[in-house]
Amino acid sequence: QVQLVESGGGLAQAGGSMRLSCAASGRPFSSYAMGWFRQAPGKEREFVASIRWSGGATYYGDSVKGRFTISREKVGHTVYLQMDSLKPEDTAVYYCAAQRVGASSYSDWGQGTQVTVSG
């Protein structure tokens, strides 16, 4: 099992930036992909971005392409989500998740961190 702890959420103004962090522990991560998801009140959970721990290939949801950047720091086992040009519709609880490469779903989730963008 992978333990995930998010941090860095809070309040930002529209057009501003924020960086989320996800500290991971508990497993060798070379065979994992790490993802960020978000869920706004009354809405379905939405895929935001993911990164392969080995090789660093990245993927983004359409709503954040060109504004958000996912990265990882191998030494510290930390995944980051840099969010720029924030919009009020980015307001949500953001979750970090881990998926073993080849698995059909994400198996481990963090507790979530609230991001609120005022417009």
Side-chain angles (χ1 to χ4, degrees), residues 57-80:
T58 58
Y59 307 88
Y60 295 92
D62 289 341
S63 62
V64 306
K65 276 181 185 175
R67 299 188 299 121
F68 290 10
T69 304
I70 189 170
S71 62
R72 84 245 190 271
E73 178 190 299
K74 283 190 173 182
V75 173
H77 294 157
T78 302
V79 177
Y80 301 100

Side-chain angles (χ1 to χ4, degrees), residues 104-119:
S104 58
S105 62
Y106 284 80
S107 55
D108 301 283
W109 295 81
Q111 81 287 354
T113 185
Q114 176 70 47
V115 172
T116 302
V117 182
S118 63

Side-chain angles (χ1 to χ4, degrees), residues 8-14 17-18 86 91 114-119:
L11 178 64
Q13 291 189 336
S17 297
M18 185 180 292
L86 284 164
T91 296
Q114 176 70 47
V115 172
T116 302
V117 182
S118 63

Side-chain angles (χ1 to χ4, degrees), residues 79-92:
V79 177
Y80 301 100
L81 184 69
Q82 177 67 38
M83 305 185 292
D84 299 317
S85 302
L86 284 164
K87 303 175 181 180
E89 50 264 45
D90 294 320
T91 296

Side-chain angles (χ1 to χ4, degrees), residues 1-2 27-34 51-54 98-101 107-108:
Q1 188 175 6
V2 176
R27 287 272 189 180
F29 299 105
S30 59
S31 59
Y32 275 79
M34 306 296 291
I51 185 167
R52 291 279 185 101
W53 199 266
S54 178
Q99 178 188 37
R100 191 169 182 85
V101 174
S107 55
D108 301 283

